[in-house]
Amino acid sequence: SQHFSNLRQHFSFPSIFIYGHTSSGKTYVMQTLLSTLQLPHVFVNCVEYFTSRLLLEEILIKLQSCSGTEQTSPVRCDSLNDFVRLFKQAVASQELQDQTLYIVLDRAEQLREMEANILPAFLRLQELTDTNVTVVLLSEIVWELFRPNTGCFEPFTIYFPDYSIGHLQKILTQNHPPEYSADFYAAYINILLGVFYMVCRDLKELRHLAALNFAKYCEPVVRGEANERDTRKLWKNIEPHLKKAMQTVYLREISSSQWERLQHDGGEPGQLKGLSAHTHVELPYYSKFLLIAAYLASYNPVRTDKRFFLKHHGKIRKTNFMKKHEKTSNHLLGPKPFPLDRLLAILYSIVDERVAPTANIFSQITSLVTLQLLSMVGQNDQLDGPRYKCTVSLDFIRAVAR
Amino acid sequence: MPWCFHICIDECSLCLQKIQEDLNKQLLENLVGFLSRSHSDFQEKTTEWTCRMKFREIPTAALVLGVNVTDHDLTFRGLSGILQDNITPYVALLEAKDCPGIKNLMQKLMGQLMKCDIDVDSLEDEDCVQVSQNRIRCSMSSLISWYESVKKVCCCKKRNSSSRHWQSPPVVVIFKDMESFTTKVLQDFIVISSQHIHELPLVLIFGIATSPMIIHRLLPHSVSSLLCIELFQSLSCKEHLSTIIDKLLLTSQFPFKVGEKVLQVLINIFLYHDFSVQNFIKGFQLCIVEHFYSQPLSVLCCQLVDTKKRACSLSHDQCENIRKLPSFRRYVEKQESGRQVALLTNDSFLKEETVKLLEDLHVYHENYVLILRCLHVFTSSLPKYPLGKQIRELHCACLENRVWETEEYESSLQLARMLNKTDLVTMLQQCVEILMSSSGKEFDKTSEKLKEFLTQFQNLEASQEQDMSVLSQKELQKKTDLYHLQKTLLELKESRRSKKLTKFEMLRFEVVDYIDSLVRKYLIPADDRTLHEVVYFNTASVLREHLNAAPRTALHTALNNPHWYLKCDGGGISNKAPDICIAYKLHLECGRLINLVDWLEAFSTVVMAAEEPNADAASSDQVDDTIHARFIRAISELELLGFIKPSKQKTDHVARLTWGGC
C-alpha cells in the first residue's frame, strides 16, 4: 500500500484493481488509508447506484463536498461525455489539480452490467479528463472476469489474501468488552473459532456471532460458579450452545433477536421452529392433483404414459437395458418441460371422478406458476400450447400426495 | 324490490367486515409488537458493547399467508391501515409485477413513501418537504435525505401535538408476493438498504404464500445474513371459512339462507379449487343477488320485525305466487276443507297465515342452529367422524334429508353409546352452555333435563368408586399367567353379554336417546318447512353455471353445435351453419397435421351443397373466390381461438393444438 503515499503532486497510476474474498479488509483499508492520509477521494458503492447515470451523478455530487464545502447541488449528467466535462470543471473549481484525486468504486463487478463504455472509461479516466485522478476498483472477483472483449487499459492489480485463523483471532480479540479482560475474551474467541471456522470465515459474521453468544459464555462467571480462568468449565458450558447456534441462528433459521430472547429466558432452542421446519403447504384438492400430475409429466418420459395411465396398455415389455438407463437418469437430469395438454391428460387419469375442464382448473395452473411450484418454459404466445416444468422436489410431492 | 335486497346485502357485508377484522387481530397484534420492538432496541442502548459489536440486521417479518392469494389483498390492506394508525406513517406496498428491476422498485418505493408524506402534510401549510416529483434522483441517498427532513418536521410537530408515532418511525416496506420477485431485485435491495440501516430504520415484511423455505431459495446466505427474520403465520383459510360459515349461515339474525346444494357448490369450489375465502363470500353474495332477482316472494325475506308490514302490503298477484309455492300447497292439503278454501280465496286471511308461518320458520331456525351445535359437540369427538368433523358438513347433512334416517347417523349413535364418562359429561356441559346462550325460552326444559343428567352422573361417581375398587382387587389377584388371563377375559366377555347393564350404561343410553329425540324434533330439513322458498336459495344449477365457467366446453359446444347458442333449427352441422363451425367440424376429423388444400376442398364441397346444387361451379375444379375468402377467414378465426397454428414441418399444413385427433 505504499503506492498511495507517493508525492501528492505526481501523477499516480491511472487505475488500480483490488480484489479479495468477502471481508478481507479491502474497503476498510481503503477508507482508513484515504482518510488518515487526508487524500481527496470519492467513495461510491456500485450496487447502490445501479445505473450509470446515478453512478456518475453521485461521483460528481460527492466531488462537490470533497474539499470541505458543505452544500451540494443536484447535478445532471446523462452520458460519459458530460461526465468528463463536468468532472474537469469540478476539479478546477475545487482546486484539486495539484494533488491526486482518488475515486474508489466498491463492488465494481456491478460495472460490468452497465453500458459497455463505462468500465473502460473509468480505467483510463486520467487520460480522458487529463487530470490527476486514480480510479480504484474494489471487487470480490478476479480481473480476468472483468476484461471486456474489445480490450482495455490494464489496471494495476492487488490481491488481498484471506485472513488466517490467527489473524481472525487477533482482530476479533481487539474489540473485547470493557467489563472483561482481554485474555478472557481471547479464550472465548478461541472456542468460537474452533466451532465456526470450518463453516464461516467472514469476519463480520464471526463478530456478530461472538457478540450474540458472549452473554451465555459469561453466565457461569456471573453466577459465580466458575472464575475467569476456569476455561474447561466455560468450554463445557458454551460448546453445545455454539453448535446449536451454528445450526440455527447462523443459517438464519431463527433470527438473532429470537436467539437472544431464548438465551435470556433460558429456554431450549428446540421449542422454536426454524424457517425450514415449516415446509408443509396446504393446497386445494385439485391443485394437489395438478401438481402431482405435473411432477409425473416432468419426470416420466412421454412413452411411458401409455403404460402407466391407460387401463388396457397391453403387456409391459421387459427391457432391462432401458430400465437401468432410466433409473439413473431421470431424477438427476431434473424436470423436463411438458405441454399443457399432457398435464391435463394425466390429471384426468389420476383423479377418480370426472373433472370438468373449467376455468377454475386453468386458473389453478396459473396460480401454481405464481407460487413458483410450476414454472413456465419459454415465454412465447399463450395460444400455441404453453409448456411447463415442475419445480418441486420429490419430498415435497410425497408430502402433498399423502 | 330493491330496498329489501339492499338491506340484506348491506347486512351481509357489514357482518363480514366485522368477522374479517376480528380474525386477523391476533396476527396483526403480533406483527405490530414485532415492529415496535424492531428498532427500539437500537435506539435505547447504542452505547452498549454488544450493540456496537453486533452486525445491524434489517428486521424482517416473514408473513406466511397460505396459498389463497386472492385473499391476501385484504389482509395487506388491513395491515397497512393498522401500521399507519399505530406505528408509522411510512408504509410502502410493493408488488412483484411492478418491480422487474431494482430501478422500478426504487421508483415505486419512493413514490409511495413521498406521496404518503405529502398526504400527511397537506393538512398543514408546510411545504418544505414537498419535492418536485419528476426530478428526484431515485437512489437511496435521496430517500435518506427525505427521511431526515420529514423526521425533523415530525419532531417539530410533536412538541405541539402528541403524536402516536415515535421520534423516528420506521419505514415499513411490504413485499406482497415474495415468490414472484426476482432474486436479483431482492438481493440488490437488501444489500443497499442494509448499508443504510443506521440512517434509515427500515423494516421489511415478506408476504409468503407457500412456505418460508422460499426465503432460503431466493436469497443466498450472504444476503439472508443481513436480515433478522421472524416468522408469523396467519390463520389457515379453512379455519377462516369455518368462522364465516359459523357467523353468517348458522345464525338466525340473518334472514337469507342457502340450501344444501348451493352450499355444497360453494364449499366444493373452496376446497377443490382455490381456498379463497373472498371467492366464497362473492359466491354467497351472488346467491343473494340471484335469489332476490329470481324469486318474486323474496320481498318477505327480511328481519322478523318487518315481516308483518311487508306481508300486509302484498298485492293480489303476490298472494297468488304464495299459493303456487309447492311447500304451501302441501300445507294447504293438510288443512281442513274450510280453511283450505279460505287460504285459497281470501287474501287477507292468507296474509295473516303467512305471517304466522314465517314466524314459525324463524323459530325453527333458531332451534335448528342450537340443536345442530349440540349435535356437533357429540359428532365432532367420535372416532372417524361418521358425520364429519366440521359443523358445515353436519349442516349439509341435516339440510339434505332427514339426518336420522341416514346410516352415518345410526353409526354415530352407536359410537356415542360407547363414550366414556368424562367425555360424556364434558359434552353435556358444552350442550348446556349452548342452550343457555339462547335467549328464547324454548330450551329451558331441555337444559334442565341435561343438567339433571349431569347430576345423575355425579351421583353415579360415588357409588361406582366402590365397585371399581372391588374389581381392581380381584383383577390383581388373578394376574398370574397368560392362560389364566385369557380365560378371565373370555369370562368377562361372556358375563358382559348376559349381565344386566350397569347404572352408568343405562344412563348413557338414556342420554343418547334424549339427544336423538331432540334431533328428530328439531333438525327437520328445511325443505319440509312451509314457505321455505321465501328465504332459501336452492337453485344450485344457476350458481354452478355462473361460478364454474368451462371455456373449452363452451367453445366446443358453440362450434360443434351452433344452434345451441343461435337458437335456430338444429340437428348436426348443416351447410347453413357459420363457416367457422363447418371448418371446425372438418378439422375434428383430421390428424395432427392438416393439409390446407384438402381442407379447403372439403369446405367448399360442404358449402356448395348449400348453394344451388345445379350451379355449374360445382363441376369445375376451380374453387370460387368468395368461398376461398370465407375459408381463409374461418381458418384465421380458428387460429385465433387456439385450435391450429402454422407448422414449420410442412409448408401447406397447419398443426392441430387440441388433442383428440385420430
Side-chain angles (χ1 to χ4, degrees), chain A residues 13 25 35 40 49 69 75 77 116 127 130 156 165 176 181 194 213 223 228 235 243 278 292 330 333 354 380 388:
Chain A
F13 202 78
S35 53
Y49 302 96
T69 39
V75 202
C77 171
E127 185 186 326
D130 197 23
F156 186 86
I165 190 163
H176 66 88
S181 68
N213 295 304
R223 277 190 305 212
E228 289 195 12
W235 178 77
K243 285 219 165 120
H278 302 263
I292 294 168
N330 274 345
L333 285 176
R354 235 179 66 83
N380 53 11
Y388 301 94

mmCIF file of all heavy atoms in Angstrom, chain A residues 13 25 35 40 49 69 75 77 116 127 130 156 165 176 181 194 213 223 228 235 243 278 292 330 333 354 380 388:
data_model
loop_
_atom_site.group_PDB
_atom_site.id
_atom_site.type_symbol
_atom_site.label_atom_id
_atom_site.label_comp_id
_atom_site.label_asym_id
_atom_site.label_seq_id
_atom_site.Cartn_x
_atom_site.Cartn_y
_atom_site.Cartn_z
ATOM 1 N N PHE A 13 -0.747 5.978 -10.854
ATOM 2 C CA PHE A 13 -1.184 5.013 -11.872
ATOM 3 C C PHE A 13 -2.666 5.243 -12.150
ATOM 4 O O PHE A 13 -3.447 5.459 -11.224
ATOM 5 C CB PHE A 13 -0.936 3.593 -11.351
ATOM 6 C CG PHE A 13 -0.842 2.577 -12.431
ATOM 7 C CD1 PHE A 13 0.317 2.450 -13.180
ATOM 8 C CD2 PHE A 13 -1.913 1.758 -12.716
ATOM 9 C CE1 PHE A 13 0.406 1.512 -14.189
ATOM 10 C CE2 PHE A 13 -1.825 0.820 -13.718
ATOM 11 C CZ PHE A 13 -0.654 0.693 -14.469
ATOM 12 N N GLY A 25 -10.982 -7.078 4.217
ATOM 13 C CA GLY A 25 -10.484 -5.767 4.619
ATOM 14 C C GLY A 25 -10.213 -4.786 3.506
ATOM 15 O O GLY A 25 -9.581 -3.765 3.736
ATOM 16 N N SER A 35 -8.577 8.373 4.490
ATOM 17 C CA SER A 35 -8.960 9.413 5.435
ATOM 18 C C SER A 35 -7.810 9.789 6.373
ATOM 19 O O SER A 35 -7.681 10.956 6.740
ATOM 20 C CB SER A 35 -10.200 8.999 6.235
ATOM 21 O OG SER A 35 -9.973 7.740 6.804
ATOM 22 N N PRO A 40 -7.741 13.579 -1.033
ATOM 23 C CA PRO A 40 -9.071 13.851 -1.596
ATOM 24 C C PRO A 40 -9.606 12.599 -2.294
ATOM 25 O O PRO A 40 -8.904 12.021 -3.119
ATOM 26 C CB PRO A 40 -8.808 14.973 -2.593
ATOM 27 C CG PRO A 40 -7.370 14.884 -2.919
ATOM 28 C CD PRO A 40 -6.681 14.312 -1.712
ATOM 29 N N TYR A 49 -25.733 2.547 -6.565
ATOM 30 C CA TYR A 49 -26.034 3.406 -7.714
ATOM 31 C C TYR A 49 -26.042 2.511 -8.936
ATOM 32 O O TYR A 49 -25.026 2.318 -9.593
ATOM 33 C CB TYR A 49 -25.026 4.544 -7.777
ATOM 34 C CG TYR A 49 -25.083 5.318 -6.503
ATOM 35 C CD1 TYR A 49 -24.201 5.071 -5.471
ATOM 36 C CD2 TYR A 49 -26.114 6.233 -6.290
ATOM 37 C CE1 TYR A 49 -24.310 5.719 -4.263
ATOM 38 C CE2 TYR A 49 -26.236 6.881 -5.078
ATOM 39 C CZ TYR A 49 -25.334 6.625 -4.078
ATOM 40 O OH TYR A 49 -25.477 7.257 -2.871
ATOM 41 N N THR A 69 -16.486 22.070 1.201
ATOM 42 C CA THR A 69 -17.719 22.852 1.037
ATOM 43 C C THR A 69 -18.929 21.963 1.349
ATOM 44 O O THR A 69 -19.027 20.857 0.858
ATOM 45 C CB THR A 69 -17.858 23.390 -0.392
ATOM 46 O OG1 THR A 69 -17.400 22.372 -1.268
ATOM 47 C CG2 THR A 69 -17.066 24.651 -0.579
ATOM 48 N N VAL A 75 -26.825 17.606 -9.719
ATOM 49 C CA VAL A 75 -26.110 17.688 -10.991
ATOM 50 C C VAL A 75 -26.868 16.837 -11.987
ATOM 51 O O VAL A 75 -27.465 15.828 -11.616
ATOM 52 C CB VAL A 75 -24.683 17.111 -10.860
ATOM 53 C CG1 VAL A 75 -23.792 17.668 -11.939
ATOM 54 C CG2 VAL A 75 -24.121 17.347 -9.491
ATOM 55 N N CYS A 77 -26.261 14.608 -15.289
ATOM 56 C CA CYS A 77 -25.198 14.046 -16.106
ATOM 57 C C CYS A 77 -25.722 12.794 -16.787
ATOM 58 O O CYS A 77 -25.949 11.784 -16.142
ATOM 59 C CB CYS A 77 -24.001 13.706 -15.214
ATOM 60 S SG CYS A 77 -22.730 12.785 -16.046
ATOM 61 N N ALA A 116 -21.520 -0.614 -21.979
ATOM 62 C CA ALA A 116 -20.208 -1.217 -22.280
ATOM 63 C C ALA A 116 -19.061 -0.212 -22.141
ATOM 64 O O ALA A 116 -17.924 -0.606 -21.893
ATOM 65 C CB ALA A 116 -20.225 -1.796 -23.686
ATOM 66 N N GLU A 127 -6.481 9.765 -18.461
ATOM 67 C CA GLU A 127 -6.167 10.189 -19.818
ATOM 68 C C GLU A 127 -7.309 11.007 -20.414
ATOM 69 O O GLU A 127 -7.109 12.023 -21.056
ATOM 70 C CB GLU A 127 -5.915 8.919 -20.639
ATOM 71 C CG GLU A 127 -5.454 9.133 -22.039
ATOM 72 C CD GLU A 127 -5.382 7.804 -22.782
ATOM 73 O OE1 GLU A 127 -5.047 6.780 -22.141
ATOM 74 O OE2 GLU A 127 -5.681 7.801 -23.989
ATOM 75 N N ASP A 130 -7.626 14.271 -18.417
ATOM 76 C CA ASP A 130 -6.370 14.993 -18.344
ATOM 77 C C ASP A 130 -6.188 15.660 -16.983
ATOM 78 O O ASP A 130 -5.756 16.798 -16.876
ATOM 79 C CB ASP A 130 -6.298 16.036 -19.480
ATOM 80 C CG ASP A 130 -4.866 16.491 -19.688
ATOM 81 O OD1 ASP A 130 -3.965 15.702 -19.292
ATOM 82 O OD2 ASP A 130 -4.677 17.589 -20.199
ATOM 83 N N PHE A 156 -3.592 -1.775 -12.481
ATOM 84 C CA PHE A 156 -2.629 -2.374 -11.572
ATOM 85 C C PHE A 156 -3.409 -3.224 -10.577
ATOM 86 O O PHE A 156 -4.298 -2.719 -9.895
ATOM 87 C CB PHE A 156 -1.886 -1.252 -10.844
ATOM 88 C CG PHE A 156 -0.764 -1.724 -9.988
ATOM 89 C CD1 PHE A 156 0.492 -1.916 -10.529
ATOM 90 C CD2 PHE A 156 -0.965 -1.972 -8.637
ATOM 91 C CE1 PHE A 156 1.534 -2.352 -9.742
ATOM 92 C CE2 PHE A 156 0.078 -2.414 -7.854
ATOM 93 C CZ PHE A 156 1.334 -2.610 -8.396
ATOM 94 N N ILE A 165 -6.554 -18.057 10.460
ATOM 95 C CA ILE A 165 -7.248 -18.188 11.740
ATOM 96 C C ILE A 165 -6.571 -17.332 12.808
ATOM 97 O O ILE A 165 -7.223 -16.736 13.672
ATOM 98 C CB ILE A 165 -7.331 -19.682 12.155
ATOM 99 C CG1 ILE A 165 -8.261 -19.837 13.352
ATOM 100 C CG2 ILE A 165 -5.971 -20.266 12.450
ATOM 101 C CD1 ILE A 165 -8.717 -21.250 13.574
ATOM 102 N N HIS A 176 -12.583 -6.286 22.736
ATOM 103 C CA HIS A 176 -13.181 -7.014 23.856
ATOM 104 C C HIS A 176 -14.062 -6.066 24.662
ATOM 105 O O HIS A 176 -13.831 -4.861 24.700
ATOM 106 C CB HIS A 176 -12.106 -7.656 24.724
ATOM 107 C CG HIS A 176 -11.234 -6.671 25.420
ATOM 108 N ND1 HIS A 176 -11.546 -6.153 26.633
ATOM 109 C CD2 HIS A 176 -10.066 -6.111 25.038
ATOM 110 C CE1 HIS A 176 -10.604 -5.310 26.986
ATOM 111 N NE2 HIS A 176 -9.703 -5.256 26.037
ATOM 112 N N SER A 181 -11.605 -8.905 30.836
ATOM 113 C CA SER A 181 -10.211 -8.732 30.414
ATOM 114 C C SER A 181 -10.034 -9.280 29.003
ATOM 115 O O SER A 181 -10.838 -10.081 28.517
ATOM 116 C CB SER A 181 -9.286 -9.484 31.362
ATOM 117 O OG SER A 181 -9.492 -10.875 31.205
ATOM 118 N N GLY A 194 -13.016 -22.263 16.986
ATOM 119 C CA GLY A 194 -12.938 -23.714 16.907
ATOM 120 C C GLY A 194 -14.210 -24.311 16.339
ATOM 121 O O GLY A 194 -14.178 -25.272 15.578
ATOM 122 N N ASN A 213 -23.326 -14.595 21.402
ATOM 123 C CA ASN A 213 -23.199 -15.707 22.333
ATOM 124 C C ASN A 213 -22.357 -15.408 23.560
ATOM 125 O O ASN A 213 -22.193 -16.260 24.426
ATOM 126 C CB ASN A 213 -22.629 -16.928 21.600
ATOM 127 C CG ASN A 213 -23.577 -17.433 20.547
ATOM 128 O OD1 ASN A 213 -24.717 -17.743 20.849
ATOM 129 N ND2 ASN A 213 -23.122 -17.473 19.303
ATOM 130 N N ARG A 223 -22.755 -16.022 37.614
ATOM 131 C CA ARG A 223 -23.424 -16.718 38.710
ATOM 132 C C ARG A 223 -22.455 -17.167 39.792
ATOM 133 O O ARG A 223 -22.849 -17.700 40.815
ATOM 134 C CB ARG A 223 -24.165 -17.940 38.158
ATOM 135 C CG ARG A 223 -25.519 -17.565 37.589
ATOM 136 C CD ARG A 223 -26.288 -18.816 37.281
ATOM 137 N NE ARG A 223 -25.515 -19.697 36.405
ATOM 138 C CZ ARG A 223 -26.069 -20.505 35.498
ATOM 139 N NH1 ARG A 223 -27.374 -20.553 35.389
ATOM 140 N NH2 ARG A 223 -25.334 -21.272 34.730
ATOM 141 N N GLU A 228 -12.824 -16.645 35.952
ATOM 142 C CA GLU A 228 -12.477 -16.349 34.563
ATOM 143 C C GLU A 228 -11.431 -17.293 33.995
ATOM 144 O O GLU A 228 -11.298 -17.421 32.794
ATOM 145 C CB GLU A 228 -11.994 -14.903 34.458
ATOM 146 C CG GLU A 228 -13.116 -13.907 34.641
ATOM 147 C CD GLU A 228 -12.707 -12.535 34.172
ATOM 148 O OE1 GLU A 228 -11.663 -12.423 33.509
ATOM 149 O OE2 GLU A 228 -13.447 -11.581 34.472
ATOM 150 N N TRP A 235 -15.791 -23.887 28.702
ATOM 151 C CA TRP A 235 -15.874 -24.547 27.392
ATOM 152 C C TRP A 235 -17.043 -25.523 27.372
ATOM 153 O O TRP A 235 -17.821 -25.571 26.429
ATOM 154 C CB TRP A 235 -14.573 -25.291 27.111
ATOM 155 C CG TRP A 235 -14.588 -26.026 25.822
ATOM 156 C CD1 TRP A 235 -14.448 -25.493 24.578
ATOM 157 C CD2 TRP A 235 -14.796 -27.425 25.640
ATOM 158 N NE1 TRP A 235 -14.538 -26.466 23.633
ATOM 159 C CE2 TRP A 235 -14.755 -27.670 24.246
ATOM 160 C CE3 TRP A 235 -14.991 -28.487 26.510
ATOM 161 C CZ2 TRP A 235 -14.908 -28.934 23.713
ATOM 162 C CZ3 TRP A 235 -15.142 -29.752 25.988
ATOM 163 C CH2 TRP A 235 -15.110 -29.971 24.592
ATOM 164 N N LYS A 243 -22.718 -24.932 19.003
ATOM 165 C CA LYS A 243 -23.076 -25.874 17.933
ATOM 166 C C LYS A 243 -24.510 -25.670 17.513
ATOM 167 O O LYS A 243 -24.859 -25.739 16.329
ATOM 168 C CB LYS A 243 -22.863 -27.299 18.430
ATOM 169 C CG LYS A 243 -21.390 -27.662 18.486
ATOM 170 C CD LYS A 243 -21.157 -29.084 18.046
ATOM 171 C CE LYS A 243 -19.686 -29.310 17.746
ATOM 172 N NZ LYS A 243 -19.108 -30.337 18.578
ATOM 173 N N HIS A 278 -41.136 -25.295 8.622
ATOM 174 C CA HIS A 278 -42.475 -25.109 8.064
ATOM 175 C C HIS A 278 -42.459 -25.408 6.571
ATOM 176 O O HIS A 278 -42.510 -24.516 5.754
ATOM 177 C CB HIS A 278 -42.949 -23.670 8.271
ATOM 178 C CG HIS A 278 -42.976 -23.259 9.694
ATOM 179 N ND1 HIS A 278 -44.108 -23.294 10.446
ATOM 180 C CD2 HIS A 278 -42.013 -22.802 10.507
ATOM 181 C CE1 HIS A 278 -43.846 -22.886 11.665
ATOM 182 N NE2 HIS A 278 -42.577 -22.569 11.727
ATOM 183 N N ILE A 292 -49.201 -33.085 -8.691
ATOM 184 C CA ILE A 292 -48.723 -34.464 -8.835
ATOM 185 C C ILE A 292 -48.631 -34.821 -10.317
ATOM 186 O O ILE A 292 -47.639 -35.394 -10.774
ATOM 187 C CB ILE A 292 -49.658 -35.439 -8.095
ATOM 188 C CG1 ILE A 292 -49.586 -35.183 -6.594
ATOM 189 C CG2 ILE A 292 -49.277 -36.878 -8.398
ATOM 190 C CD1 ILE A 292 -50.654 -35.879 -5.805
ATOM 191 N N ASN A 330 -33.352 -40.072 -14.650
ATOM 192 C CA ASN A 330 -34.463 -39.126 -14.565
ATOM 193 C C ASN A 330 -34.383 -38.101 -13.446
ATOM 194 O O ASN A 330 -34.628 -36.918 -13.664
ATOM 195 C CB ASN A 330 -35.787 -39.870 -14.474
ATOM 196 C CG ASN A 330 -36.295 -40.202 -15.848
ATOM 197 O OD1 ASN A 330 -35.793 -39.627 -16.824
ATOM 198 N ND2 ASN A 330 -37.223 -41.110 -15.972
ATOM 199 N N LEU A 333 -31.362 -35.710 -13.950
ATOM 200 C CA LEU A 333 -31.434 -34.767 -15.075
ATOM 201 C C LEU A 333 -32.325 -33.588 -14.773
ATOM 202 O O LEU A 333 -32.269 -32.579 -15.448
ATOM 203 C CB LEU A 333 -31.954 -35.483 -16.310
ATOM 204 C CG LEU A 333 -30.967 -36.409 -16.989
ATOM 205 C CD1 LEU A 333 -31.624 -37.121 -18.135
ATOM 206 C CD2 LEU A 333 -29.755 -35.626 -17.457
ATOM 207 N N ARG A 354 -64.861 -37.632 -12.591
ATOM 208 C CA ARG A 354 -64.687 -36.857 -13.811
ATOM 209 C C ARG A 354 -64.367 -35.412 -13.461
ATOM 210 O O ARG A 354 -65.024 -34.810 -12.603
ATOM 211 C CB ARG A 354 -65.981 -36.900 -14.623
ATOM 212 C CG ARG A 354 -65.814 -37.397 -16.037
ATOM 213 C CD ARG A 354 -67.168 -37.399 -16.715
ATOM 214 N NE ARG A 354 -67.686 -36.043 -16.870
ATOM 215 C CZ ARG A 354 -67.338 -35.238 -17.862
ATOM 216 N NH1 ARG A 354 -66.500 -35.639 -18.781
ATOM 217 N NH2 ARG A 354 -67.860 -34.028 -17.947
ATOM 218 N N ASN A 380 -43.279 -17.709 -24.776
ATOM 219 C CA ASN A 380 -43.938 -17.371 -26.040
ATOM 220 C C ASN A 380 -45.449 -17.345 -25.903
ATOM 221 O O ASN A 380 -45.988 -17.463 -24.814
ATOM 222 C CB ASN A 380 -43.492 -18.318 -27.152
ATOM 223 C CG ASN A 380 -43.681 -19.756 -26.722
ATOM 224 O OD1 ASN A 380 -44.318 -20.024 -25.707
ATOM 225 N ND2 ASN A 380 -43.130 -20.665 -27.483
ATOM 226 N N TYR A 388 -44.774 -26.257 -19.432
ATOM 227 C CA TYR A 388 -44.438 -26.020 -18.034
ATOM 228 C C TYR A 388 -43.364 -26.990 -17.567
ATOM 229 O O TYR A 388 -43.072 -27.996 -18.208
ATOM 230 C CB TYR A 388 -45.670 -26.203 -17.152
ATOM 231 C CG TYR A 388 -46.808 -25.300 -17.483
ATOM 232 C CD1 TYR A 388 -47.817 -25.711 -18.335
ATOM 233 C CD2 TYR A 388 -46.869 -24.023 -16.932
ATOM 234 C CE1 TYR A 388 -48.871 -24.870 -18.640
ATOM 235 C CE2 TYR A 388 -47.916 -23.181 -17.223
ATOM 236 C CZ TYR A 388 -48.916 -23.614 -18.079
ATOM 237 O OH TYR A 388 -49.945 -22.786 -18.370
#
